[in-house]
Amino acid sequence: MRRVFRLYESTIGKKIVMAVTGVLLVGFVVAHMAGNLKMYAGQEKMDHYGEFLREFAAPVLGHGGFLWVARAILLLAVAAHIRSAILLTRQSQAARDVGYKVTTRRESNYASLSMRWGGVFLAAFIVLHILHFTTGHIHPTFEHGAPYANVVAGFTVWWTAALYILAMIPLGLHLYHGTWSMLQTLGANHPRYNHLRRKIALAVALIVVVGNISFPVAVLTGLIK
Amino acid sequence: MSETMKLVLNVWRQPDATTKGDFERFEIPDVSPDMSFLEMLDVLNERLTQKGQETIAFDHDCREGICGTCGIVINGVPHGPQKLTTTCQLHMRKFKDGDELWLEPWRSTAFPVIKDLVVDRSSFDRIIQAGGFISVGAGSAPDANAIPIGKEVAEQAMDAAACIGCGACVAACPNASAMLFTAAKVGHLGLLPQGQPERYERVQKMVATMDNENFGACTNHAECEASCPKGISIDFIAMMNRDLLKGAVQHPIELD
């Protein structure tokens, strides 16, 4: 029987799903960090920013509609990202039925080797993060619509701040290898610019990690109160 | 004459594809640093024959690094510690007196062990059969330089064409993926004008065959590039990914 080549059934097609959803998720974490920099502009500006996100495109989508559209897209992206990761991991595990007695790594690094477990950890962290700052279920003094006060109160608990800081290690590693992988999978390849790909990946990872770590540090040191 | 070395070899022994294998330990007291790695195994096999024991099976042919037949994983590295070198071109002076070495075959479901260190790489042949060719009119040989090809393109195509199909990329890959091999073949033909008519059909057919042969999925570790005796760059993988995306979207083909 003849059949048509279907991209999504092939290994590379699944990797393209990883990469395209990766573009969305990398874009989200960068924007998420950048938006939160409003914390440094003071309570009024930060709360106003939260309100702005709820009111964005409200005439079309209704109050809070934009946020729900964004959440739906991100949730779909995360689901597709995880599904492809599981399928590809299973394929790769089946591809070496007998393992090596001795393994020597030459080019792979902590970032590339921690993608799978790092991803599992990040998924768990994202669930906690949403329960903490979005729904407030595990937040001591959560108040809806008051992001500034919620962040300050949340990070005043030292071990919560520490957990957030620690979680940035797997995020940074995942972003570094993920961004570089994304460029490689989508075929961003030109002799003149290839040397930039690792640097772009490192810059994305560093900007997000340093920005995010600054929030709990600012609360703990009293810079934000 | 240079001094000899004492080496301990732990060699994977497996009588056939279906029987379970294990390591066998050999001590060689007098390895010359001037021997090639395969000559060292030849000497060991000579002695095993004299003692009436089963010799170690390993692949080899040209012994000058161009045929792609040899290949042993030495202490976790395909083709051993020297970069850009096949096992046959590796010399014992790269090792030290008293070293203990672990010799394993390429480990991949797509490369079943035939015997000891010999694996069946016909899965690579099937990837080539799927599209690793060009169609040209038969007849007398065309004039040299009848088709002008830019120097840079010719060089890049040659870099990919340097692939000898040894399989070290698959052996080195933590995912046992054949992306570098397939990308080298797709790339060297896809870059040249002679390869253009089948360019987007070829990449789909070769990738579909690669998937059917149970190779793993690339996660961009770049271990393949580090172990490739011809130094083929993973940039060719990015090139193949882009060709596949374009081909599958613009010219999806029917598979047999």
Side-chain angles (χ1 to χ4, degrees), chain A residues 90-168:
Chain A
R90 279 200 200 137
Q91 180 187 340
S92 294
Q93 284 168 346
R96 182 158 288 141
D97 49 359
V98 181
Y100 287 109
K101 165 87 180 171
V102 183
T103 308
T104 306
R105 300 278 183 232
R106 295 211 275 198
E107 280 298 317
S108 42
N109 50 48
Y110 282 120
S112 69
L113 292 169
S114 68
M115 287 306 272
R116 287 170 189 155
W117 282 110
V120 172
F121 183 90
L122 287 176
F125 173 73
I126 290 167
V127 171
L128 285 178
H129 182 45
I130 290 172
L131 290 174
H132 188 217
F133 279 143
T134 309
T135 67
H137 281 95
I138 55 171
H139 191 285
T141 58
F142 189 78
E143 192 192 331
H144 198 75
Y148 187 90
N150 289 339
V151 169
V152 172
F155 286 153
T156 308
V157 184
W158 71 268
W159 56 266
T160 306
L163 180 72
Y164 270 78
I165 293 170
L166 280 179
M168 289 306 108

Side-chain angles (χ1 to χ4, degrees), chain A residues 3 11 94 96 104 108 184, chain B residues 75 107 109 211 223 234 255:
Chain A
R3 61 190 181 86
T11 309
R96 182 158 288 141
T104 306
S108 42
Q184 174 81 355
Chain B
N75 284 352
R107 297 284 192 200
T109 312
D211 285 348
E223 289 288 351
I234 56 169
L255 299 168

Side-chain angles (χ1 to χ4, degrees), chain A residues 100 104 106, chain B residues 36-38 59-62 64-92 94-95 101-107 111 117 119 121 124 162-172 223-231:
Chain A
Y100 287 109
T104 306
R106 295 211 275 198
Chain B
S36 77
F37 200 88
L38 299 187
D59 261 332
H60 61 102
D61 190 18
C62 76
E64 50 188 16
I66 55 168
C67 74
T69 306
C70 68
I72 300 170
V73 176
I74 304 162
N75 284 352
V77 177
H79 291 306
Q82 190 178 7
K83 283 208 167 191
L84 302 173
T85 306
T86 54
T87 308
C88 63
Q89 292 280 289
L90 177 68
H91 284 79
M92 298 315 294
K94 296 289 166 188
F95 299 92
L101 307 181
W102 294 84
L103 274 54
E104 298 178 73
W106 286 177
R107 297 284 192 200
F111 292 161
L117 302 170
V119 296
R121 283 168 289 190
F124 266 12
C163 170
I164 53 176
C166 67
C169 44
V170 175
E223 289 288 351
C224 51
E225 182 181 300
S227 280
C228 176
K230 300 298 155 186

Side-chain angles (χ1 to χ4, degrees), chain B residues 129-143:
Chain B
Q129 283 162 6
F133 51 81
I134 56 167
S135 299
V136 291
S140 58
D143 283 343

Side-chain angles (χ1 to χ4, degrees), chain A residues 15-90:
Chain A
K15 287 176 54 55
I16 289 171
V17 170
M18 298 288 301
V20 171
T21 54
V23 172
L24 282 172
L25 298 171
V26 169
F28 169 73
V29 288
V30 171
H32 186 40
M33 188 284 292
N36 286 348
L37 289 175
K38 286 272 183 197
M39 283 299 291
Y40 293 110
Q43 182 155 19
E44 197 188 329
K45 290 267 173 64
M46 181 65 190
D47 290 354
H48 184 77
Y49 167 66
E51 191 54 28
F52 159 77
L53 288 180
R54 272 186 293 276
E55 287 302 319
F56 190 80
V60 185
L61 302 167
H63 179 76
F66 167 72
L67 274 187
W68 281 109
V69 170
R71 283 167 186 159
I73 292 171
L74 287 171
L75 197 63
L76 279 176
V78 168
H81 199 75
I82 292 174
R83 179 180 179 271
S84 288
I86 291 171
L87 291 173
L88 291 169
T89 302
R90 279 200 200 137

